[in-house]
Amino acid sequence: MSELDHLLEKNQAWADGIKQQDPDFFHRLSNQQAPEYLWIGCADSRVPANQIVDLLPGELFVHRNVANVVVHTDFNCLSVLQFAIEVLRVKHILVVGHYGCGGVKAALLNEGFGLISNWLRHVQDVRDKYTEVLAAIPGVSDRVDRLCELNVVEQVGHVCQNNIVQEAWRRNQPLTVHGFVYDVADGILRDMGLSISGEAEVESIRRNSVEELILRPVRSGRKKR
């Protein structure tokens, strides 16, 4: 018996349950995917994209990596962006971080090792940009969570600066980029006040979001872990 037989059994039970509710579901799904949303999130196992927003398979196109980073030289992420925008014609891009992110914490405290240190350098660039803001926050946990928020703001900016997104806007393709932070402690998505639908909006909306973050308590409106 395979060590993973229990996963195959769970898969069978899940597929059977779906077919009982909707006998044609997998037939429709196999013909095409037509999601309206691209989710760019963290690879953390506690942050399952579809479940968080209660969408079925086929309704959410997903790209995940450590600390939900968008890098202009990451061909994996760029390929996902291009396919989502130019082929799937998604209408919304959701950049989603989460509180207590291990990658963000490692970046903040210089705890990366090996290859991951190179990847986390991108988050450390965000940390260094907001050194004074983070230094004013007492407690490592709160500094991590504020950096999680600031990292989302910066990665939204990176998405908007990408030529794939900018070309979509120039041809008047409906496309809005959003920023959210997920709270693992209560399952709630927090809107970071970032909804950008054109190149002219990028800097003002990002600046306003950062200013509002600095003025309010870390994770305001959410339960502390």
Side-chain angles (χ1 to χ4, degrees):
M1 176 178 287
S2 167
E3 294 180 356
L4 300 182
D5 279 351
H6 66 290
L7 295 183
L8 298 177
E9 292 170 2
K10 285 179 178 291
N11 166 253
Q12 185 66 59
W14 170 77
D16 290 345
I18 293 289
K19 284 181 279 192
Q20 286 178 7
Q21 296 174 26
D22 183 353
D24 294 326
F25 177 80
F26 289 109
H27 175 71
R28 292 197 308 272
L29 197 65
S30 64
N31 289 328
Q32 66 174 8
Q33 61 170 334
E36 292 190 5
Y37 313 96
L38 166 62
W39 172 292
I40 300 176
C42 184
D44 193 299
S45 61
R46 300 168 297 172
V47 190
N50 280 72
Q51 288 178 263
I52 287 172
V53 288
D54 195 24
L55 291 178
L56 291 170
E59 295 181 333
L60 189 70
F61 198 55
V62 178
H63 174 75
R64 298 171 68 181
N65 59 51
V66 174
N68 47 274
V69 171
V70 178
V71 185
H72 302 307
T73 54
D74 179 0
F75 290 105
N76 185 359
C77 185
L78 295 181
S79 298
V80 169
L81 266 176
Q82 184 170 30
F83 187 80
I85 293 170
E86 297 182 6
V87 179
L88 298 178
R89 311 284 289 186
V90 298
K91 294 182 174 64
H92 301 276
I93 298 174
L94 288 60
V95 178
V96 185
H98 67 98
Y99 293 118
C101 178
V104 171
K105 181 179 180 182
L108 178 71
L109 302 178
N110 295 310
E111 292 179 342
F113 60 90
L115 185 61
I116 191 67
S117 295
N118 297 293
W119 182 256
L120 294 179
R121 180 66 251 177
H122 301 296
V123 183
Q124 289 175 325
D125 289 341
V126 180
R127 175 200 66 184
D128 295 346
K129 181 176 180 178
Y130 296 102
T131 299
E132 293 183 6
V133 173
L134 295 169
I137 300 172
V140 171
S141 178
D142 281 347
R143 283 199 296 274
V144 170
D145 286 343
R146 178 49 43 89
L147 184 52
C148 290
E149 295 171 338
L150 291 167
N151 185 50
V152 166
V153 175
E154 291 301 303
Q155 304 313 322
V156 165
H158 292 171
V159 172
C160 294
Q161 291 164 354
N162 188 276
N163 71 305
I164 300 167
V165 172
Q166 292 186 352
E167 287 174 7
W169 283 335
R170 287 167 191 154
R171 60 177 176 264
N172 296 318
Q173 180 175 337
L175 182 65
T176 305
V177 184
H178 310 265
F180 298 94
V181 180
Y182 175 68
D183 196 335
V184 178
D186 61 14
I188 301 299
L189 275 176
R190 175 175 169 179
D191 189 345
M192 301 302 296
L194 292 160
S195 290
I196 301 172
S197 301
E199 193 172 354
E201 303 173 1
V202 176
E203 287 309 314
S204 62
I205 291 177
R206 285 178 66 239
R207 184 173 58 252
N208 290 341
S209 181
V210 171
E211 289 173 354
E212 289 178 8
L213 273 179
I214 293 172
L215 292 174
R216 69 190 182 207
V218 179
R219 303 171 80 240
S220 58
R222 297 285 177 258
K223 265 189 318 189
K224 279 287 188 184
R225 290 189 298 275

